[in-house]
């Protein structure tokens, strides 16, 4: 990521206000439906990811965790991230070793990210892999997950 990115930070806003509350309520409802618990630590980590303007590393989440500025214990955040990833609320971007909230429905989809090398934003989309999955199945291979990461410049950084 380049430090002299020239566009306004509002180009890639995280969720705030009512949008953030709706996303957290939807997460709670999905947890209730699957008989899982969105505990306070899990909710806080999800909230931080939803508010973020770009992918967050675990240690950034640890530092930002406490409302009064106190950091969380690392196992608390890592356990929350494991839970959120397992339920499809977040994705781990391998090349950045960072996490983003799932901007799609979170259930049974292939994740793909467009990662800006200038500002660090990551936009999620769902790629079409049906031909590749059919070929894998024909070869007897059971694909569990696919994550595609493409790097370049977002529209705001290109301008």
């Amino acid at each position: 990521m380049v430090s002299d990115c020239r566009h306004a930070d509002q180009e890639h806003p995280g969720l705030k206000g009512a949008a953030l509350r709706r996303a957290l309520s939807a997460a709670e409802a999905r947890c209730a439906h699957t008989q899982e618990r969105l505990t306070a630590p899990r909710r806080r980590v999800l909230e931080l990811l939803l508010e973020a303007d770009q992918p967050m590393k675990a240690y950034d989440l640890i530092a930002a965790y406490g409302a009064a500025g106190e950091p969380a214990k690392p196992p608390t955040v890592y356990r929350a991230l494991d839970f959120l990833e397992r339920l499809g609320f977040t994705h781990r971007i391998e090349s950045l070793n960072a996490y983003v909230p799932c901007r799609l429905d979170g259930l049974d989809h292939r994740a793909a990210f467009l990662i800006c090398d200038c500002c660090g934003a990551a936009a999620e989309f769902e790629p079409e892999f049906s031909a590749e999955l059919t070929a894998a199945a024909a070869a007897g291979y059971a694909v569990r997950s696919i994550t595609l990461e493409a790097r370049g410049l977002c529209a705001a950084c290109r301008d």
Side-chain angles (χ1 to χ4, degrees):
M1 188 164 53
V2 178
S3 62
D4 65 349
C5 196
R6 291 186 176 87
H7 66 78
D9 287 340
Q10 293 80 10
E11 298 290 341
H12 304 290
L15 297 182
K16 307 288 186 256
L20 177 61
R21 288 190 297 277
R22 279 192 302 276
L24 291 170
S25 292
E28 288 174 348
R30 198 162 85 196
C31 282
H33 179 73
T34 59
Q35 299 182 351
E36 298 277 359
R37 290 188 47 218
L38 189 63
T39 61
R42 293 168 177 172
R43 181 184 168 89
R44 179 64 178 144
V45 170
L46 180 58
E47 179 181 29
L48 290 169
L49 288 169
L50 289 167
E51 290 175 328
D53 295 336
Q54 62 185 13
M56 291 188 73
K57 295 181 180 287
Y59 276 89
D60 295 329
L61 291 164
I62 290 166
Y65 183 88
E70 69 279 358
K73 293 187 178 359
T76 300
V77 170
Y78 282 109
R79 280 193 294 264
L81 287 168
D82 286 344
F83 172 86
L84 295 170
E85 193 171 9
R86 181 173 56 83
L87 265 66
F89 293 124
T90 63
H91 296 290
R92 182 170 183 265
I93 298 179
E94 299 288 333
S95 65
L96 301 176
N97 193 24
Y99 296 83
V100 293
C102 180
R103 298 293 183 178
L104 301 173
D105 67 7
L107 300 172
D108 298 328
H109 72 273
R110 298 337 186 233
F113 298 95
L114 302 172
I115 303 166
C116 182
D117 289 327
C118 181
C119 69
E124 181 178 357
F125 69 98
E126 190 164 5
E128 178 56 49
F129 283 120
S130 56
E132 290 82 358
L133 292 171
T134 300
Y141 196 83
V143 176
R144 284 189 305 215
S145 68
I146 297 174
T147 303
L148 174 67
E149 300 177 21
R151 301 187 70 107
L153 295 176
C154 69
C157 290
R158 287 182 54 207
D159 292 341

